[in-house]
Amino acid sequence: SSYQLKTFQFETAQINKNGTEIKRIAKSAEYFTQDLGNGVFLEMVHIPGGTFIMGSPESEEGRNSDESPQHQVTVPPFFMGKYPVTQKQWRLVAALPKVKIDLESDPSNFKGDNLPVEFVSWNHAQEFCARLSLKTNQTYRLPSEAEWEYACRGGTTTPFYFGETISTELANYHGNYTYGGGAKGEYRGKTTEVGKFPANPCGLYDMCGNVWEWCQDEWHGNYINAPTDGSAWSNGSNNYMSLRGGSWIDNPHFCRSAFRNYINRDNHYYIIGFRVVCVVGRSLQ
């Protein structure tokens, strides 16, 4: 099947160091829509390939040693979900024929069609991708950590894609805590509908906060011998899988572009969801 690439307009934001001023910037990106049926679509944003520095400098506030050594990674182009997978999207895919394991149609703790699905394990996310791939005849999968961080940064090198600090006007995290020169904000205590906050420079929403997102990689405690081609670092030997992005319950330093987390692939919590990537030819033929 072939897809038509379309262009969408979006607004991203930049925040000054003390969090007092937020500048809105209009941008555009290309995407395609995957029809899931029942009038529900998955919007997949084109992420152009490129080279970036993965990890964080030692000077970055809140950093951990697992974010080093910083290293150059060259990532081929791919498509990434504009939003974390929503409960409405999840329900439709969970109703598709089983590949390996059963999926609950409504696993989430916080209920709402356009809230991110949560309470799904890495294995559940894999099953979702397998069913979606079969339905669409395209390869859908979880992002590698390198793809995730590359797409999250969107060309930025600051702790957050918004800048040196963060505000609860820009993301859903634990607003009783601050980062850098930023101020306290709202603590919502739950997930928020996807797309509520400004996008990142690539046109992706909720890459920071809301729910943690599963990656394809097994957990490694540092980047020594990490792949430099954007691929997932995984050989099936580790039950702990990588998570990115922070969540509604987390302090802001967990929401930094470089921050890494991990949990057993069987575990599921109300702070963990995921988004998908699709790798297809540039023409989408």
Side-chain angles (χ1 to χ4, degrees), residues 77-121:
F78 61 100
F79 290 83
M80 192 170 203
K82 188 193 274 193
Y83 310 110
V85 170
T86 65
Q87 293 175 35
K88 184 163 56 173
Q89 291 165 339
W90 173 272
R91 271 199 305 277
L92 282 164
V93 174
L96 295 172
K98 172 178 169 176
V99 177
K100 283 187 179 169
I101 60 172
D102 293 325
L103 292 179
E104 272 183 62
S105 66
D106 190 18
S108 303
N109 179 58
F110 301 106
K111 306 294 187 192
D113 278 357
N114 293 315
L115 291 175
V117 71
E118 20 85 6
F119 238 81
V120 290
S121 71

Side-chain angles (χ1 to χ4, degrees), residues 101 107 118-126 212-214 239-243 261-274:
I101 60 172
E118 20 85 6
F119 238 81
V120 290
S121 71
W122 186 88
N123 293 329
H124 294 141
Q126 292 293 331
W212 286 100
E213 299 182 8
W214 287 112
N239 271 329
Y240 287 92
M241 310 309 289
S242 298
L243 295 163
N261 203 351
Y262 63 94
I263 197 170
N264 192 292
R265 65 177 77 203
D266 298 320
N267 286 9
H268 43 90
Y269 290 107
Y270 53 41
I271 55 173
I272 301 175
F274 68 104

Side-chain angles (χ1 to χ4, degrees), residues 163-192:
E164 298 284 351
T165 187
I166 189 168
S167 156
T168 58
E169 284 179 57
L170 300 177
N172 180 14
Y173 61 92
H174 201 314
N176 296 345
Y177 297 89
T178 62
Y179 184 92
K184 288 185 181 183
E186 185 181 356
Y187 175 48
R188 297 173 175 92
K190 59 184 179 184
T191 57
T192 43

Side-chain angles (χ1 to χ4, degrees), residues 17-236:
K17 281 189 176 179
N18 56 4
T20 54
E21 193 184 316
I22 295 172
K23 182 173 144 196
R24 310 262 171 172
I25 301 143
K27 294 192 76 173
S28 65
E30 291 186 309
Y31 75 110
F32 74 87
T33 52
Q34 182 74 69
D35 190 350
L36 299 180
N38 289 9
V40 179
F41 297 90
L42 190 60
E43 293 173 285
M44 301 297 296
V45 179
H46 180 241
I47 308 296
T51 300
F52 82 114
I53 301 296
M54 188 170 180
S56 61
E58 289 187 13
S59 58
E60 189 165 301
E61 180 186 327
R63 83 181 292 272
N64 292 320
S65 60
D66 59 37
E67 298 164 28
S68 54
Q70 281 190 296
H71 57 293
Q72 189 170 290
V73 180
T74 299
V75 182
F78 61 100
F79 290 83
M80 192 170 203
K82 188 193 274 193
Y83 310 110
V85 170
T86 65
Q87 293 175 35
K88 184 163 56 173
Q89 291 165 339
W90 173 272
R91 271 199 305 277
L92 282 164
V93 174
L96 295 172
K98 172 178 169 176
V99 177
K100 283 187 179 169
I101 60 172
D102 293 325
L103 292 179
E104 272 183 62
S105 66
D106 190 18
S108 303
N109 179 58
F110 301 106
K111 306 294 187 192
D113 278 357
N114 293 315
L115 291 175
V117 71
E118 20 85 6
F119 238 81
V120 290
S121 71
W122 186 88
N123 293 329
H124 294 141
Q126 292 293 331
E127 176 71 15
F128 178 98
C129 292
R131 293 187 191 188
L132 183 58
S133 298
L134 268 181
K135 174 187 165 67
T136 60
N137 206 25
Q138 296 286 349
T139 302
Y140 280 93
R141 58 170 173 78
L142 292 177
S144 68
E145 271 200 88
E147 286 170 334
W148 195 98
E149 186 173 325
Y150 172 72
C152 178
R153 287 186 177 281
T156 63
T157 56
T158 46
F160 307 95
Y161 49 77
F162 299 121
E164 298 284 351
T165 187
I166 189 168
S167 156
T168 58
E169 284 179 57
L170 300 177
N172 180 14
Y173 61 92
H174 201 314
N176 296 345
Y177 297 89
T178 62
Y179 184 92
K184 288 185 181 183
E186 185 181 356
Y187 175 48
R188 297 173 175 92
K190 59 184 179 184
T191 57
T192 43
E193 288 202 355
V194 302
K196 174 181 166 73
F197 302 100
N200 85 336
C202 288
L204 302 170
Y205 291 82
D206 298 289
M207 292 290 280
C208 178
N210 214 2
V211 287
W212 286 100
E213 299 182 8
W214 287 112
C215 289
Q216 190 68 22
D217 307 55
E218 291 168 17
W219 173 251
H220 295 80
N222 56 51
Y223 286 136
I224 295 168
N225 299 321
T228 57
D229 61 356
S231 62
W233 195 5
S234 184
N235 63 12

